[in-house]
Amino acid sequence: MSDLPPPGSNEPVSPTPSGSPADPTASPPPAADPASSGGAGPSVPAPGPAPADPWADQTGYGPSIPQQPGYDAQSAHPNPSGPATPADPATPPGGGDPAGWTAPGAAPPPSYPTPPGYPAGAPQAGWPGYPVPPMPGAAYPVAAGPGAYAGWFPGIDPQDPLVNPPHAGIGPWFARCWGALRRGWRQLLPIVLLTQVLPAMVIGVLTLVLSPDGQMATAPDGSPVLPEGFWAQTFGFYGAILFAGLIFGALQAMGWAAGTWVIARQAAGQPAGLGAAFRYGLSRALGLWGWTIVVSLLVTLGACFCLLPGLYAALALALFGPVYLFERRDPVGRSWRMFHSRFGMVLGRVALVVAALVVATLLDVVLSGISGALFGLEPMGAVGTAIGAVTLTVLSAVVAAPTYLAQQVGLVVTYAEQRAQEGPVTAAGLAAELG
């Protein structure tokens, strides 16, 4: 017989003594919904909302990853029908990024030194907001800041008007050469005319006046003989040219030093007057002239064995002038090491300078041929031919002036580029080194 009251009865049911006693720890039964109470039967509680799934937004052991642009949307649970993923013991309480949190009993993560150029305590390279390491041979990128420029290691300014940064290429090298000419042609042109073109004019005129008679005489028996006084004229000619070259060599050295001073000072944004440039050139003329003689002897010695060793020595020692002016130590050995440590780069730059000299030499040969065709081999025998020959000689020296400018600027910019390959350097630092 059932203990339940008959249907429709509101009589309470008294507990029966039989059965197990009630659990005192059990939760009380849910209260009846007053809206659903009536005569249809006992009240049934309405179903409430399902409890929140703490793993609803998780995939695996880590935090959910926001949708990335360019990727297809993915479900938070690749297999919704599978069992719930257990909690990862390495995940910190409350979830979130596990970085900086160590599981109980685990060894702390290793610490790494902050890379050069990053602020103290900055994350390692590759974290958001910090660049990744460069490819082998590329410039090391750093964040822009005091003393550092984005894309280069600290101390290198990619916009420096004189120093071509490492791995910049031949285009920026040309741009810096052109910039040096544009800034300083008003000072460089008078320096070149006085110290390079004028000596070339004088030596050219001496060559016309003192050159020995090249016509062979004929002996009574019909055999060719040297003209009378040939050897005296030959020794006198070469002696005069050598003496003039030595004297004008000091003047040319002063011009190279003065031009280098103007190029470096203007690139650094400092005043570079013509008088101050000549004073500086005069203070460095004797030393640079002495090293010029040494290099000329080495190149001549190499040319005596064969043409190619002499040419190689001229290319390898082409930077001796800037090395002496900026560093004032071991210009021959230093230029040799610069040339061979970055052989292709230095050879390419110096070859461009030598190409300009070759063009000037070809122009001189063409004008000399025109002079010989118009005024003969002995133009100084008559006034008219002498004036014409001297005029063409002067014109040949003036035409070579742009070549001297290109040589001066090209060697200084090449030297600055090689210094940047060895470490951070700026135009202001190079100007300070000149003294």
Side-chain angles (χ1 to χ4, degrees):
M1 181 174 179
S2 173
D3 294 335
L4 295 175
S9 174
N10 294 329
E11 181 182 355
V13 180
S14 61
T16 59
S18 62
S20 301
D23 186 2
T25 63
S27 58
D33 187 2
S36 61
S37 62
S43 61
V44 179
D53 184 4
W55 298 95
D57 295 330
Q58 304 295 329
T59 302
Y61 295 157
S64 61
I65 302 175
Q67 177 65 27
Q68 302 295 326
Y71 291 86
D72 297 331
Q74 298 181 358
S75 172
H77 292 286
N79 187 11
S81 63
T85 305
D88 186 2
T91 304
D97 191 353
W101 180 83
T102 305
S111 60
Y112 299 96
T114 302
Y118 290 89
Q124 302 296 321
W127 287 55
Y130 291 86
V132 298
M135 296 297 292
Y140 200 90
V142 298
Y149 297 85
W152 310 100
F153 52 83
I156 290 294
D157 182 3
Q159 303 301 325
D160 192 283
L162 181 62
V163 181
N164 195 28
H167 313 289
I170 191 66
W173 181 85
F174 272 116
R176 283 165 172 82
C177 291
W178 177 249
L181 284 174
R182 189 179 64 252
R183 288 188 302 269
W185 69 269
R186 292 178 180 85
Q187 291 81 17
L188 294 175
L189 186 58
I191 292 174
V192 166
L193 291 176
L194 182 60
T195 63
Q196 311 297 328
V197 175
L198 181 60
M201 290 180 183
V202 174
I203 292 177
V205 173
L206 287 176
T207 302
L208 289 175
V209 175
L210 301 177
S211 60
D213 188 4
Q215 294 183 357
M216 300 294 292
T218 303
D221 58 354
S223 60
V225 295
L226 294 175
E228 184 179 357
F230 175 80
W231 291 112
Q233 294 179 1
T234 300
F235 283 115
F237 167 74
Y238 285 108
I241 297 300
L242 180 61
F243 180 76
L246 291 176
I247 296 299
F248 287 123
L251 181 62
Q252 290 174 328
M254 182 183 72
W256 288 118
T260 302
W261 186 83
V262 168
I263 294 171
R265 297 268 299 184
Q266 288 186 340
Q270 301 173 6
L274 194 58
F278 278 119
R279 286 193 297 270
Y280 173 82
L282 187 61
S283 67
R284 297 284 186 263
L286 291 180
L288 185 57
W289 178 46
W291 283 110
T292 302
I293 294 175
V294 172
V295 171
S296 299
L297 291 176
L298 291 175
V299 173
T300 303
L301 181 62
C304 289
F305 291 99
C306 185
L307 180 61
L308 289 180
L311 179 61
Y312 188 85
L315 294 174
L317 302 178
L319 296 178
F320 83 94
V323 170
Y324 171 77
L325 294 174
F326 286 100
E327 303 178 26
R328 289 186 290 281
R329 61 180 178 86
D330 190 21
V332 172
R334 185 89 163 89
S335 176
W336 185 272
R337 289 190 296 272
M338 275 188 174
F339 181 78
H340 291 91
S341 61
R342 288 167 292 276
F343 179 80
M345 179 186 296
V346 183
L347 178 62
R349 309 296 195 262
V350 175
L352 292 173
V353 176
V354 172
L357 296 178
V358 170
V359 171
T361 303
L362 292 177
L363 289 175
D364 182 70
V365 170
V366 170
L367 292 176
S368 298
I370 294 174
S371 176
L374 294 178
F375 310 114
L377 298 177
E378 296 293 334
M380 306 306 292
V383 176
T385 56
I387 294 176
V390 170
T391 301
L392 284 180
T393 301
V394 171
L395 179 61
S396 176
V398 172
V399 168
T403 303
Y404 296 123
L405 288 173
Q407 183 182 8
Q408 173 90 78
V409 172
L411 292 179
V412 173
V413 175
T414 300
Y415 170 79
E417 182 183 37
Q418 301 316 303
R419 286 287 300 273
Q421 296 287 334
E422 300 172 350
V425 68
T426 61
L430 292 176
E433 291 181 7
L434 289 176

